[in-house]
Amino acid sequence: MSSITVLSGGMGGARFLQGLLHGLAAHRMPFPQDTAVTVVANTADDIWVHGLKVCPDLDTVMYTLGDGIDLDRGWGRRDETWSVKDELATYGVEPTWFGLGDRDIATHLVRTQMLEAGYPLSDVTQALCRRWQPGVTLLPMSDDRVETHVAIADADSPSGKRVIHFQEYWVRLRAEVPAEKLVFVGLDQSSPAPGVVAAITGADLVILPPSNPVVSVGTILGVPGIREALHETDAPVVGLSPIVGNTHVRGMAEQMLTSIGVEVSAAGVAGHYGARSRGGVLDGWLVDDADADQVARVESLGIACRAVPLMMTSPDATATMAATAAELVR
Ligand code: GDP
Ligand code: CA
């Protein structure tokens, strides 16, 4: 059976996957309809809140593909209520800024209970997916605890800096202050979750969807062994730019790229990933029509490149992007 492996963050990745599955089902991909899709999801956004283990990217993928997502928000459960959050606020316990819906909490309770009983996150994810039937094999990048932290300026601190969890930077501060430094706690010591390396080395195609290149795909690539698997695989590796017209479509990729010194452009991200033939991870890269003038620059890096519409406005539009990506590196 054919297989496609996707290295995904939350919202951008989930939306892409929706289009990819639609494209496969509708025979729009240069792959058979029954192609198996494996998703390796970022877990460096994970956070413990109120004693619960929350995995935002895993859940966004699971809820989106399982048709349980709140479409307007793009995260969390549809028809959500917030009684627990309101009660916690009444007690005055922090963090008050993190969105925990009542329905969503059930997922975190099941996950936390299983983790505390000794199951690894990959087994827990599989158990949660038995309910959601996302139509893909969903794997965390690692079973180990990895957390992205962000250093920001803080005049009240003796060092002039304060380090906060990525979720606090994103949700509470809305990424409105510069990220001076990113710290990926635990990443160097982590190992890929069971099945991750095999999903890459055994794939017929590996896709880097339009996910955050630093705090989603970047952290997945940072798990020791995953980059090596991408070098080793016979499958072509193709990516779709999350940067359109020199900014992110939504989210905070711009702030994250700036903090690691990468030019905020489709070609900048391609250069950051690098050509697989030159020690990087990409064989092909799709940029948006708006960035057509960057195609030659990407090609000069040793990466096949094409400009096409890259706005994921519907599963149909996204399916076209996925098919073009696959054809680019076929
Ligand atoms: P997160 O974990 O929810 O931040 O989601 P991801 O890391 O998967 O994706 C976020 C990235 O997706 C952002 O950098 C956006 O620029 C990008 N993105 C979101 N929607 C689109 C779209 O329609 N087209 C493209 N090309 N990129 C998008
Ligand atoms: Ca994320």
Side-chain angles (χ1 to χ4, degrees):
M1 191 158 69
S2 300
S3 59
I4 297 177
T5 295
V6 181
L7 312 186
S8 173
M11 290 197 239
R15 206 179 272 220
F16 175 80
L17 285 159
Q18 215 174 20
L20 172 66
L21 293 183
H22 171 68
L24 281 169
H27 293 286
R28 301 256 308 277
M29 289 290 290
F31 275 87
Q33 206 173 19
D34 66 349
T35 297
V37 177
T38 300
V39 179
V40 176
N42 172 49
T43 54
D45 288 9
D46 293 8
I47 184 168
W48 285 87
V49 232
H50 304 299
L52 299 176
K53 172 78 163 178
V54 181
C55 302
D57 288 358
L58 281 172
D59 287 349
T60 296
V61 172
M62 184 173 80
Y63 291 157
T64 300
L65 301 183
D67 198 25
I69 198 86
D70 181 291
L71 288 171
D72 295 330
R73 247 184 290 123
W75 58 270
R77 292 279 283 110
R78 186 180 303 150
D79 303 324
E80 190 57 285
T81 53
W82 306 89
S83 302
V84 174
K85 189 170 189 268
D86 294 346
E87 286 292 313
L88 286 166
T90 321
Y91 282 109
V93 290
E94 290 290 334
T96 49
W97 45 265
F98 195 79
L100 273 185
D102 299 333
R103 285 171 180 257
D104 197 24
I105 284 172
T107 303
H108 309 319
L109 282 169
V110 175
R111 175 184 293 125
T112 307
Q113 196 173 25
M114 284 189 72
L115 287 172
E116 283 179 350
Y119 291 96
L121 183 61
S122 47
D123 283 1
V124 177
T125 304
Q126 197 183 356
L128 294 171
C129 284
R130 240 171 265 144
R131 170 186 176 192
W132 290 103
Q133 298 290 319
V136 299
T137 300
L138 180 58
L139 304 174
M141 65 185 196
S142 176
D143 280 336
D144 302 319
R145 183 167 174 174
V146 177
E147 280 183 12
T148 300
H149 290 197
V150 183
I152 57 166
D154 180 3
D156 297 336
S157 148
S159 66
K161 276 197 204 329
R162 192 154 61 93
V163 179
I164 55 176
H165 191 286
F166 170 77
Q167 293 296 344
E168 185 172 355
Y169 178 75
W170 174 226
V171 180
R172 188 173 75 82
L173 299 179
R174 309 207 168 280
E176 279 163 1
V177 298
E180 299 196 347
K181 193 171 162 32
L182 300 176
V183 185
F184 304 106
V185 183
L187 188 59
D188 289 349
Q189 292 81 43
S190 67
S191 32
V196 167
V197 167
I200 295 170
T201 54
D204 298 296
L205 175 67
V206 178
I207 305 179
L208 274 49
S211 279
N212 191 300
V214 185
V215 294
S216 295
V217 179
T219 43
I220 298 173
L221 296 176
V223 177
I226 292 190
R227 198 177 273 276
E228 291 75 2
L230 285 166
H231 291 157
E232 210 178 288
T233 185
D234 291 334
V237 181
V238 64
L240 296 88
S241 178
I243 301 295
V244 172
N246 302 332
T247 186
H248 49 234
V249 179
R250 49 181 81 79
M252 40 51 220
E254 192 169 332
Q255 290 91 318
M256 297 293 102
L257 287 166
T258 303
S259 77
I260 63 163
V262 173
E263 180 192 295
V264 184
S265 70
V269 176
H272 173 61
Y273 284 143
R276 210 149 69 105
S277 58
R278 302 179 189 174
V281 298
L282 289 177
D283 297 307
W285 186 240
L286 289 185
V287 303
D288 188 80
D289 276 338
D291 301 315
D293 58 346
Q294 297 178 28
V295 169
R297 211 180 123 199
V298 176
E299 285 172 337
S300 75
L301 298 166
I303 300 166
C305 186
R306 249 187 89 180
V308 293
L310 280 193
M311 300 308 274
M312 298 188 284
T313 46
S314 67
D316 232 40
T318 310
T320 304
M321 290 164 44
T324 313
E327 270 146 19
L328 179 70
V329 292
R330 195 149 65 142

